[in-house]
Amino acid sequence: MVSLIQGLPSCIPCGCTCIPDPVGVPDISASSATGMANMDYMGRIKLPKPEYLDVSIEFDHFANWFFHIFMDTNKSMPHYGKAPSRLASAYAGTAVYNNWIMGDPKIKDPEVWHRGIPTSPMKVGPDAGKFCLDAKKVDFCANISQSTFPPQGELASAARASEAAAGLPFFPGKHSLDELVQHLKVASAQIAQLMI
């Protein structure tokens, strides 16, 4: 994660800092952990006015220990099945998301990935000569600059590429939901047969 402190001259240490795996930033995209696929489905809830929104919203609630994800059930929402409407954690509190932009942010804001990254190296400090402090001395933080950030992504595996081509959701937990729906349909049909 690259962290920027606005207002510091770029030659002063800590205006730009890169650290791996900061506490409180969960991996909900299954990039290194299992994402939502192993979360427990807690059920469907309706909140009259969640946090800062002035509307009633119905959510599917998923949880894994102290981390909770609330997915909007309204299919007309642009982020339906792709991104959460609400996250909650014992350590980070609750956050509501309502304005997801599904697409490349640099189309709307060409400077989004470079704004604030220093244009001259630090003159003093433990990482003098670098543009960004490498607090933990890890490879991906070793060379942060306007010309190298963001780093190029890794090539997708054949399996991930086919998932992306199929338009599968950002969160892999949707597969579990689809399976649950199928099981419920089968169970309902079996119960109906028993009732006859």
Side-chain angles (χ1 to χ4, degrees):
M1 176 180 92
V2 173
S3 175
L4 302 169
I5 300 174
Q6 190 172 359
L8 287 178
S10 62
C11 62
I12 302 290
C14 299
C16 175
T17 305
C18 181
I19 57 170
D21 305 323
V23 173
V25 180
D27 177 10
I28 56 175
S29 65
S31 59
S32 61
T34 56
M36 283 183 63
N38 291 331
M39 294 186 87
D40 292 324
Y41 179 66
M42 307 301 287
R44 188 163 282 190
I45 64 169
K46 189 170 189 172
L47 294 178
K49 291 184 180 181
E51 284 73 32
Y52 309 102
L53 303 177
D54 198 23
V55 295
S56 175
I57 301 180
E58 187 176 75
F59 299 107
D60 280 326
H61 178 193
F62 298 85
N64 186 351
W65 193 34
F66 63 84
F67 184 65
H68 300 261
I69 294 178
F70 299 85
M71 301 294 285
D72 204 311
T73 60
N74 181 351
K75 292 181 180 182
S76 68
M77 295 301 286
H79 63 273
Y80 171 78
K82 298 176 185 173
S85 292
R86 186 177 196 235
L87 297 175
S89 162
Y91 301 110
T94 301
V96 174
Y97 301 90
N98 189 8
N99 57 351
W100 287 101
I101 297 171
M102 299 296 162
D104 189 344
K106 72 179 177 186
I107 293 169
K108 217 174 195 182
D109 182 359
E111 298 298 313
V112 69
W113 300 118
H114 302 101
R115 183 185 311 107
I117 295 197
T119 55
S120 59
M122 294 178 277
K123 297 188 183 201
V124 296
D127 282 333
K130 290 186 176 183
F131 291 87
C132 197
L133 183 74
D134 180 3
K136 297 286 187 179
K137 308 298 181 226
V138 294
D139 290 343
F140 64 85
C141 291
N143 188 25
I144 303 289
S145 71
Q146 287 210 0
S147 62
T148 62
F149 189 81
Q152 294 297 312
E154 298 174 13
L155 294 175
S157 67
R160 297 289 281 198
S162 66
E163 286 178 6
L168 295 176
F170 179 72
F171 294 112
K174 183 176 184 301
H175 306 300
S176 298
L177 271 180
D178 291 343
E179 288 176 19
L180 175 64
V181 167
Q182 287 305 108
H183 288 295
L184 290 174
K185 285 180 181 177
V186 169
S188 293
Q190 290 173 342
I191 291 170
Q193 287 294 332
L194 292 173
M195 300 294 278
I196 296 176

